[in-house]
Amino acid sequence: EEGGPGGTNVLLEAANTARDHRGRPASRLQCSRGGSTLWHDSVQGCVVQGAGGQHFSAISTSGGDLLLFSPAGRRMLPPIQLGCSAVVMAVRGWQLMVLTTDGRVRVWDVAQGKLKLEADAGPLLRGPAAAEGSLLTAKLTHVGMPVLIMHNHHAYAYHEGWACWMRVADDAFPASHFHSTFSSNQGMLGSVQAAVAGARQPRDVLAAANQPADVQKRAARAHLECNVASALAMQSPQEWRRWLVTYVRQLAADEDEARLKEILNELLGPIRWSPTTHGAASAPGKGW
């Protein structure tokens, strides 16, 4: 767990070696910080996944139980039956994401005690996307958007409005000079794209670099357009601004009048203001 109350990382360990009074499998939990034990407990079944943060810890057992613990080790809810065991869990603030073996992704707001999002990751885990690599890990963005990262470092974010998975990072532009392998001081999009850039194969980069200049130019422009669109889809204002400025500069250098005009029209919006067209962008705290 990261960001414990004392500012030091908190370690939650599970030992799947115990037995209950009927001889059934059980797990012993121990939560510690800096070598000092904070609390310990026992749960029925074997723990298969766990995650936590400043506000709570969560574990999932082989029997499909989900248990939540407070920083002091208090059980916050009765065991939640997921239907099957968890594959990946992630916590960000008060938000908890669980991906189970049946491909269901659920995100809860623990503070409000409600389900925020439910999605099916089956198309990614069993469809054409799975042919290029299995699941590596899963993360939550600051707005509670689940992001699944595959072993080939392709990253998919679930967009609730479109009700689908969008590929926000891939290796489609190996020779683009807009790649960066540095993920520090970047948002979620930057971190997953840095992983993609770091996994590029030299032969792919060299092959793409030997393409005609006009082909490379189109690829760089397409890369920027994908980055702008991905940052917008992931609701990352800082990254959206950075990629938009870079994209506009590139269009100006290319003297691409048609695309520049489209961008300006989108930024200016309709002449008549209305809550429908501008309300979300101008709402307090949105940062756009």
Side-chain angles (χ1 to χ4, degrees):
E1 303 176 37
E2 296 183 355
T8 306
N9 285 357
V10 176
L11 177 64
L12 179 60
E13 298 175 285
N16 294 324
T17 56
R19 295 278 174 175
D20 66 7
H21 63 284
R22 293 185 180 178
R24 295 173 299 187
S27 178
R28 291 193 179 95
L29 303 178
Q30 177 174 298
C31 185
S32 60
R33 182 175 63 234
S36 301
T37 299
L38 300 177
W39 55 268
H40 52 80
D41 203 342
S42 296
V43 298
Q44 290 184 347
C46 296
V47 174
V48 293
Q49 286 292 332
Q54 181 179 0
H55 304 297
F56 67 93
S57 304
I59 63 164
S60 173
T61 69
S62 56
D65 282 342
L66 174 67
L67 295 96
L68 304 182
F69 297 88
S70 72
R74 179 175 54 87
R75 298 191 183 207
M76 300 171 65
L77 292 169
I80 299 171
Q81 179 51 236
L82 297 172
C84 50
S85 59
V87 177
V88 180
M89 298 171 62
V91 168
R92 185 153 187 169
W94 281 102
Q95 299 171 114
L96 168 65
M97 180 190 69
V98 179
L99 167 62
T100 47
T101 55
D102 60 357
R104 294 173 67 192
V105 177
R106 281 166 281 187
V107 178
W108 289 277
D109 187 316
V110 176
Q112 297 184 18
K114 69 177 185 180
L115 180 69
K116 285 189 59 177
L117 180 149
E118 185 169 8
D120 180 17
L124 301 182
L125 303 178
R126 298 185 293 271
E132 298 185 16
S134 57
L135 180 69
L136 177 62
T137 187
K139 298 182 179 182
L140 268 175
T141 70
H142 68 290
V143 296
M145 179 181 291
V147 178
L148 304 186
I149 303 172
M150 315 303 282
H151 266 98
N152 60 359
H153 296 289
H154 288 193
Y156 296 84
Y158 187 81
H159 194 287
E160 194 171 7
W162 284 86
C164 64
W165 294 95
M166 296 183 173
R167 192 170 67 243
V168 295
D170 58 27
D171 55 358
F173 313 103
S176 172
H177 56 279
F178 296 109
H179 276 296
S180 174
T181 57
F182 297 98
S183 60
S184 61
N185 300 321
Q186 296 191 49
M188 178 70 74
L189 177 62
S191 65
V192 297
Q193 289 182 334
V196 172
R200 288 181 297 174
Q201 298 294 323
R203 63 177 181 273
D204 295 334
V205 176
L206 289 174
N210 288 328
Q211 294 290 323
D214 61 325
V215 174
Q216 296 186 46
K217 180 179 176 180
R218 289 195 298 269
R221 186 189 66 220
H223 186 200
L224 288 174
E225 290 172 351
C226 286
N227 287 348
V228 172
S230 295
L232 183 62
M234 296 180 71
Q235 301 180 46
S236 179
Q238 290 79 14
E239 292 180 295
W240 176 77
R241 284 196 209 96
R242 179 166 62 87
W243 285 119
L244 180 63
V245 169
T246 305
Y247 178 52
V248 168
R249 287 173 176 168
Q250 184 66 36
L251 292 180
D254 294 342
E255 299 181 354
D256 194 328
E257 182 179 348
R259 285 182 172 84
L260 278 172
K261 185 177 291 186
E262 278 189 359
I263 290 293
L264 290 175
N265 288 338
E266 287 184 10
L267 293 176
L268 292 173
I271 296 176
R272 297 179 63 86
W273 182 93
S274 72
T276 303
T277 56
H278 288 72
S282 60
K286 291 295 182 182
W288 294 90

